[in-house]
Amino acid sequence: MIQLTPEQIQQQLTDLNFKAQNIRIVTVSAMENEALEKSTSKEGESFYNSYMNVIFRHGERYVLGYRCEDPLVDHAIIKKGDLYFDPTLQANGDFKSYQFAVLTEFKIFDMMKHAKSNKDFPPDVDFLLTKKKHFKNIINIDK
């Protein structure tokens, strides 16, 4: 995975119609093996996995955003305390910490409420864009 510079990340986010200056970049770390074994980690299903991990209390927040690789990849991870984890990638390959552009974080109730209005699918980037008036802090609604 090619690491992008902060400027490249901001440019790609801007090109995707986001307010890059309002988006935080965090580091996604490896989970302890014991926690990873308890986590849902179906390959290629980051939105579902992160959703289920929050429901089953393996994570405190469902985090939606982009893996900072070229090009950016929409993805979901989980947050526990102040740390961010990606059980999907970690369980299915040689995991290395990476940068993640956080669009939004959902607590369990909000995550489930949004999934209900999204035909029972976990919220994803397309969902945010369809509800852009509610996420105008990160989405450029003028375009």
Side-chain angles (χ1 to χ4, degrees), residues 21 26 41 56 77 84-85 89 94 106 115 121 123 127 129 137:
Q21 70 277 11
V26 300
S41 56
F56 290 121
I77 58 174
Y84 295 86
F85 302 105
L89 287 185
D94 182 27
F106 296 114
F121 290 106
F127 172 78
L129 294 172
N137 61 319

Side-chain angles (χ1 to χ4, degrees), residues 3-132:
Q3 293 290 325
L4 298 174
T5 66
E7 295 79 19
Q8 291 171 315
I9 295 168
Q10 285 205 341
Q11 184 59 56
Q12 286 193 34
L13 288 168
T14 299
D15 292 347
L16 291 167
N17 210 29
F18 290 100
K19 295 179 180 177
Q21 70 277 11
N22 295 349
I23 297 173
R24 291 180 302 117
I25 307 297
V26 300
T27 300
V28 178
S29 304
M31 299 174 80
E32 303 256 346
N33 283 335
E34 184 178 303
L36 182 62
E37 288 173 11
K38 294 177 185 176
S39 297
T40 303
S41 56
K42 194 175 192 180
E43 188 171 359
E45 299 290 336
S46 72
F47 302 103
Y48 171 79
N49 294 339
S50 296
Y51 182 81
M52 295 306 290
N53 284 321
V54 172
I55 286 177
F56 290 121
R57 306 275 194 228
H58 300 300
E60 297 163 9
R61 291 187 182 229
Y62 175 88
V63 183
L64 189 55
Y66 287 94
R67 292 192 327 245
C68 296
E69 54 189 73
D70 197 14
L72 297 178
V73 176
D74 58 328
H75 200 72
I77 58 174
I78 59 174
K79 181 179 180 182
K80 286 181 171 180
D82 293 331
L83 299 175
Y84 295 86
F85 302 105
D86 185 346
T88 304
L89 287 185
Q90 186 176 348
N92 294 290
D94 182 27
F95 183 82
K96 291 185 171 88
S97 293
Y98 67 89
Q99 300 297 298
F100 189 84
V102 176
L103 296 178
T104 191
E105 298 180 7
F106 296 114
K107 292 180 182 175
I108 190 168
F109 175 77
D110 293 326
M111 175 190 72
M112 292 174 75
K113 182 176 76 172
H114 288 303
K116 192 80 170 158
S117 70
N118 195 30
K119 299 179 183 172
D120 291 326
F121 290 106
D124 59 11
V125 174
D126 290 336
F127 172 78
L128 292 184
L129 294 172
T130 65
K131 305 285 186 187
K132 63 184 172 184

